[in-house]
Amino acid sequence: MRRVVIQDDLREAQIRPDSGFNTYIELLERDLEVFLADTVLVELDVCPACGSPDAFPDFEKMRISYVRCGQCRTCYASPRPEMEALDQFYAESDAIQYWNSSVAERTASARKQYIFSPRATWVLETAGVHQQEDGLLVDFYTKYPVYLEELKTKGSFSRILIRKPAVSIDELVAVEGFEVANKIEEGTVSVVAAFEVIERLFDPLAFMQHIHRLLRPGGLVFLTTLSISGFDLSILRENARNLLPPTHLTLLSYEGIHRLIERGGFSLVEFSTPGQLDVALVLDALQRDPEIALPPVIDSALRRRGENVHEDLQDFLQKANLSSHVWIAAQKLAS
Amino acid sequence: MNLKVGIVGLGKMGLIRKRVLEDHPSADVVAVCDPTLEGLPSREGGLLQTTDYREVLDEDLDVLFACTPNNVTAEVVVAGIEKGLHIFCEKPPGRDLTDTRSIVEAASNKPDIKIKFGFNHRYHDNVIQAHALLESERLGKLLWMRGVYGKSGGVGFEEGWRSDRRTAGGGILLDQGIHMLDLFRLFAGEFNDVRSMVSNSYWPIEIEDNAFALLRNQEGVVAVLHSSSTHWKHTFNLDLCFTEGHLTLEGILSSTGSYGPEMLIVSRRQFEDETFALGKPRQEVVYFDTDRSWEREIQEFVDCIVHDKPIEVGTLDDALKTMELVYKIYAADELWRHASTAGEELNRSEKS
Ligand SMILES: [Zn+2]
């Protein structure tokens, strides 16, 4: 198993500029109010990661209640909207349209440099090591053609298909210049990529099982997500500005991710948390609300030490898999 | 039918091989030999234990593992080849080129057997992933390499068989540096230009405790090696510089963990983009937490035997070429050439 630590100079404002982000949140709150008024929410009987029925209330964010799994500590929205309602929300939300048309555009160059190029390189190089670089790649619902372009120009995949994440629904979204899959034959796919998808699904396990059926034995799945075991989310919880329903329905814990991968029939080849922003996000939250309680040693490190300590702490968080930004690569076990 | 395996030599390496073989579904260890075993021979639970390797060879075997001190390696391996057994031989392939040549000669009469040498580092994750990156050419063309492999000889170091010229044949370069040379060959092929300084600087032994080598291949790739047994901090470090990026293999997982953790550090050249600090590029440090090298190595060997495929890693040719490189390094230092038998060794080898 491998884990990666990335040393770079990303700043939050480069990918989430303050003004744009505030507008986005305002719009999202409005959208959500309308959405929740006439949407049926479904209570989950068991943890979406480990399957345990043991759960207790955790917090509420934007009228959505989150509970915590007593076994794997995954934090998840319950009750939650079903996939069909979520799809409709994503298709119609003013906030999401605003993000895609305005913020994503303005931050495109930084996003390419810090997010999409590294993801493409990650997929290409890991697929190379596991001899999966020449076959069919399926990307679930990427909104970012930049990264698909990189996969196409730098890689040797025979075909790249894009597909919606919903397991039950076959309505598809086109990205210019890329083929959209109507039906994919099971057992034919070398690589599946699903970035920032798993947290927004009604049923993450069903999604993992779906991917498992698509992949050929030895095939790889690449996932990124936000983890509640990470530094900023575990400290800030509902106060984390970047924790937003309904996009973030399931905040998997470190243990929850392991259980979900295992239950889906995969074996982990990489678990990395190459996040660069945890410390900066907590510092930012402290600026807005100095009353946020921190463990004394973290309080000292953040409030009474300089930038070097902040950088060292962020390095350590990555190294110890304690950043909230998670990269997972897993391989389909030969059944 | 499982492969029936005999192991000669149950030192540190022999015990590792035995453990991995015992866990392997297609192999059974049926005979072992070590001069230090007591109250022998015995046969318990189907396992022959003896102090005489010839008794191992008298068993009904498919495969022989030679995990012996260097002075008996060639003798044991040649006897195994003559019996028609598949051979797994620890590195180095004997004390010197004469030993290695005798193995090559014996093998030339038995084209159907598989012979593999324990150049185990090629199965480590940081090496596998670095090699995949090199092959993909994503970092461009290889320019140069710099490898440091050093250990600290401990209490009693000078009394062990590895420190005795008659038993070992050579010092730290032959014992440990040979792994780095094997990796140099993996990444850059054969070196035609060899320069060196070989020294005995600290330990009261007849063989080298430090070797410094400067190598160049036909394409102009230069490699620098420092192999040392006066490296008080255990070190494995290999830098590979490419036209478009840089790799550092830092640490290698071992049973004691003293060379770990195992990392591959990847950075890409960024000096065209002035938003970055020059010389401080974005860096990815990949950590590897488990050592699967021993299992992979045995798996490949068993696979080649069972499916009659050619050995890919640690071939007889690899063993001979890497051994020749070791002796070219010894001989390239005028002082060391005279102080050792390296010159004669090379001459003999070139004539044969
Ligand atoms: Zn759980």
Side-chain angles (χ1 to χ4, degrees), chain A residues 47 49-52 69 71-74:
Chain A
C47 166
C50 75
S52 163
C69 171
Q71 290 297 316
C72 77
R73 317 297 292 179
T74 287

Side-chain angles (χ1 to χ4, degrees), chain A residues 2-3 5 7-8 125, chain B residues 129 268 283 285 287 289:
Chain A
R2 50 177 257 165
R3 75 199 135 93
V5 170
Q7 287 148 15
D8 209 339
E125 287 175 1
Chain B
Q129 301 211 359
R268 289 172 172 82
Q283 183 166 290
V285 187
Y287 288 84
D289 299 326

Side-chain angles (χ1 to χ4, degrees), chain A residues 17-34:
Chain A
D18 250 356
S19 61
F21 197 56
N22 291 338
T23 312
Y24 172 67
I25 291 174
E26 278 167 33
L27 289 170
L28 189 64
E29 275 180 325
R30 222 186 302 153
D31 289 348
L32 212 50
E33 198 178 330
V34 176

